Amino acid sequence: GINAEYMGRRRWVFQKMMQALLFLGLAAAAVAIPVPSKSQIDQMSRPLTQFMHFGMCTFTGCQWNLAVSSPELFNPTDLDTDQWVKAAKLWGAQEICLTTHHVGGFALWPTSTTNYSIASSPYKNGTGDIVREFVDSCRKFGVNPCFYIIPGFDISESQRNLEPSVYMDHRLTMLTELLSNYGPISRIWFDNYMLGPQYQPNGSFPAGFPLPAWDTIVGHVLRTSPTTNMIPGPHGCLVNAENGGGTYPLWHSNHGPNGYYCDLSQSPDGVFAVAESDTSIFNVPGTDAWFWRPGPIMSAQQMWEMYLTKVGTGATLIYNVPPDKTGQIPQDMVVQLALFGKRLEQTFNSPVAAMQGYATAPCASFSYVLGLPSPQSAFDLVVAEEDLTNGQLIWAYSVEVQVAGTAVWQNLTGIHGLSVGLRVIDALPAQVSNIAAVRWRCLQSADPTLNVTLKHFAVFLDAGPQQ
């Protein structure tokens, strides 16, 4: 993550900017509510990403390869990147993020910066380029490609005792190759875990990932590929990193630029951040793994519960499903992904009742009534999505039901009741029926002078486990 000194300097700069604006008498309302950029809105339109941890650790059994292993070990016997993308589409992922370069330094493309890459492996006799195969498969099936890279941690480069300027030049060259040779790339996923100066070449990246180095890398990406999001990075941050939990309420309003973890306080005094939650198919109780290894995986039921916990509280989700030594995602994973995806499709493609179009009004008067087809129409999921174009405004809400044959509105139990943001899914403790209508009301807004807007409000019946 980013160190406290770095974040403090960023916040100090931001505060000085705000003071200057107020001194000049400029309107502060637009500043008070952080507003997403077009690229952030675009990223949030793809809330589901499949993580693909594939590299040297796949073949050595490690999770963090803190020693340089021979490139001869990297030899997938039946690699099929089409299969990766087909598996991602089974559960609705719109983006796939490949670990192009993990901590050991082994690169999945023939980079010009080092011999520690696929070019020195037996794969296709050293002529292969898995990044190329991956991107081609993504484009073939209409899924956005994303690249994971860890700029400040490279064991192989560290052992070469490079000068800091050479090390940095290699980072920038790698990014240039990835962002220039494979067509448009939707996102770079910067892993910013800084494990200490003993892992860094000549102190070029001491503990905390210093501000000048980070600014250099971010600036290089912005110049090389302006439409590429960096999340984690200046466009977003992580919540509930690497576990199955969720964060609620979830506010997009406190992201210091380039922070690794989201600041979860509610006061809108930061920069808008896409909030992402990451976890792995191996993250069942008692285990934590990202590269393939034999062992238990999440069931489709556990995936469903994870979805409600993470996506259902407003985060985007990046879900790790790694290939094994063959270069394909194991069939037991594919089966569970298919069952999970079928449940998502059967549930959310068939609303019991749904709002048509957008609804907007000041919070104090915002009330939207959703009529049900008949009193016998049962539901157990309530979904609301806020239009975030003007920032996250809704701070509290209620959901009420009108019992059939009465004029009385009753509050539903099991409602989250605070943030809406990108999406909130209220999973009710039991099915609700004998209802004539459902009403959504805004109770509190970040700025009462601005209209709040719902882009989606609907009720669903969970289709249940699939066969």
Side-chain angles (χ1 to χ4, degrees):
I2 307 303
N3 65 7
E5 178 185 1
Y6 175 84
M7 295 303 295
R9 289 173 64 183
R10 285 297 196 180
R11 288 194 176 95
W12 182 86
V13 171
F14 184 82
Q15 289 167 0
K16 293 301 179 184
M17 290 172 59
M18 297 306 99
Q19 290 170 6
L21 287 173
L22 291 171
F23 178 78
L24 293 172
L26 300 178
V31 174
I33 308 297
V35 175
S37 66
K38 182 179 181 301
S39 66
Q40 288 174 313
I41 291 175
D42 181 58
Q43 186 68 42
M44 290 185 292
S45 72
R46 299 184 298 273
L48 304 179
T49 297
Q50 182 164 295
F51 226 162
M52 303 288 295
H53 276 67
F54 187 58
M56 188 60 70
C57 277
T58 307
F59 298 89
T60 63
C62 64
Q63 295 301 319
W64 281 76
N65 46 328
L66 300 181
V68 176
S69 303
S70 170
E72 292 292 327
L73 297 174
F74 185 88
N75 190 22
T77 55
D78 194 20
L79 188 136
D80 185 352
T81 53
D82 279 3
Q83 189 251 6
W84 299 359
V85 182
K86 290 176 182 177
K89 291 178 73 71
L90 285 174
W91 65 281
Q94 305 100 332
E95 179 183 76
I96 306 177
C97 203
L98 175 65
T99 53
T100 62
H101 175 272
H102 210 261
V103 297
F106 186 81
L108 295 185
W109 78 101
T111 176
S112 64
T113 63
T114 178
N115 292 327
Y116 195 51
S117 76
I118 195 171
S120 299
S121 78
Y123 181 66
K124 294 189 175 179
N125 296 316
T127 65
D129 183 345
I130 290 178
V131 172
R132 168 61 61 196
E133 294 182 56
F134 163 71
V135 170
D136 287 349
S137 292
C138 286
R139 306 220 192 281
K140 178 179 178 181
F141 293 100
V143 173
N144 284 46
C146 158
F147 295 152
Y148 165 110
I149 193 168
I150 183 163
F153 198 163
D154 188 324
I155 295 297
S156 66
E157 295 272 73
S158 179
Q159 292 186 357
R160 293 169 65 186
N161 200 32
L162 301 175
E163 290 297 321
S165 60
V166 176
Y167 181 88
M168 174 60 82
D169 182 65
H170 285 184
R171 303 311 99 193
L172 301 183
T173 300
M174 284 183 172
L175 286 166
T176 298
E177 292 170 349
L178 290 171
L179 295 174
S180 301
N181 298 339
Y182 299 97
I185 302 302
S186 64
R187 162 158 71 140
I188 291 286
W189 206 97
F190 280 128
D191 196 339
N192 289 324
Y193 286 111
M194 294 296 103
L195 297 185
Q198 67 269 32
Y199 297 122
Q200 313 304 340
N202 293 338
S204 59
F205 287 86
F209 202 40
L211 177 62
W214 182 247
D215 281 350
T216 298
I217 288 172
V218 167
H220 184 75
V221 171
L222 291 173
R223 288 188 298 273
T224 306
S225 183
T227 61
T228 297
N229 282 303
M230 289 171 276
I231 303 171
H235 301 120
C237 45
L238 294 179
V239 291
N240 283 106
E242 303 191 10
N243 66 41
T247 295
Y248 193 85
L250 181 60
W251 311 108
H252 295 272
S253 58
N254 265 274
H255 176 211
N258 304 333
Y260 192 81
Y261 295 109
C262 296
D263 180 343
L264 299 176
S265 58
Q266 185 175 6
S267 177
D269 60 359
V271 177
F272 189 94
V274 178
E276 181 165 78
S277 190
D278 61 335
T279 195
S280 174
I281 196 169
F282 289 118
N283 285 20
V284 294
T287 66
D288 180 16
W290 294 81
F291 288 93
W292 176 83
R293 54 98 175 107
I297 63 171
M298 279 191 187
S299 66
Q301 175 64 29
Q302 289 171 313
M303 294 178 193
W304 170 259
E305 293 166 0
M306 175 266 298
Y307 178 89
L308 294 180
T309 301
K310 292 181 176 292
V311 178
T313 53
T316 60
L317 171 67
I318 183 165
Y319 186 48
N320 181 59
V321 185
D324 62 17
K325 293 181 180 181
T326 68
Q328 294 194 33
I329 296 172
Q331 189 60 28
D332 61 340
M333 296 184 188
V334 173
V335 169
Q336 295 305 312
L337 289 173
L339 293 174
F340 169 49
K342 186 176 180 182
R343 186 172 184 176
L344 290 177
E345 181 180 359
Q346 293 292 321
T347 298
F348 293 112
N349 284 6
S350 303
V352 175
M355 181 176 75
Q356 301 299 311
Y358 285 31
T360 184
C363 178
S365 60
F366 192 107
S367 175
Y368 189 92
V369 176
L370 194 63
L372 269 60
S374 75
Q376 287 73 44
S377 300
F379 65 91
D380 53 13
L381 297 165
V382 181
V383 178
E385 299 176 7
E386 185 176 356
D387 179 11
L388 295 173
T389 304
N390 296 317
Q392 186 176 10
L393 296 171
I394 299 167
W395 280 14
Y397 70 94
S398 67
V399 180
E400 304 158 335
V401 293
Q402 185 182 53
V403 177
T406 75
V408 178
W409 290 96
Q410 302 176 1
N411 284 322
L412 267 180
T413 57
I415 300 302
H416 283 93
L418 296 173
S419 61
V420 174
L422 182 61
R423 179 179 297 102
V424 62
I425 302 175
D426 293 314
L428 307 181
Q431 292 184 12
V432 177
S433 61
N434 194 35
I435 300 299
V438 183
R439 181 168 69 182
W440 190 97
R441 294 176 58 218
C442 182
L443 301 181
Q444 185 181 5
S445 170
D447 186 341
T449 68
L450 298 176
N451 283 354
V452 299
T453 301
L454 281 188
K455 60 186 294 187
H456 184 56
F457 172 49
V459 294
F460 300 86
L461 181 63
D462 176 10
Q466 302 294 297
Q467 301 296 323

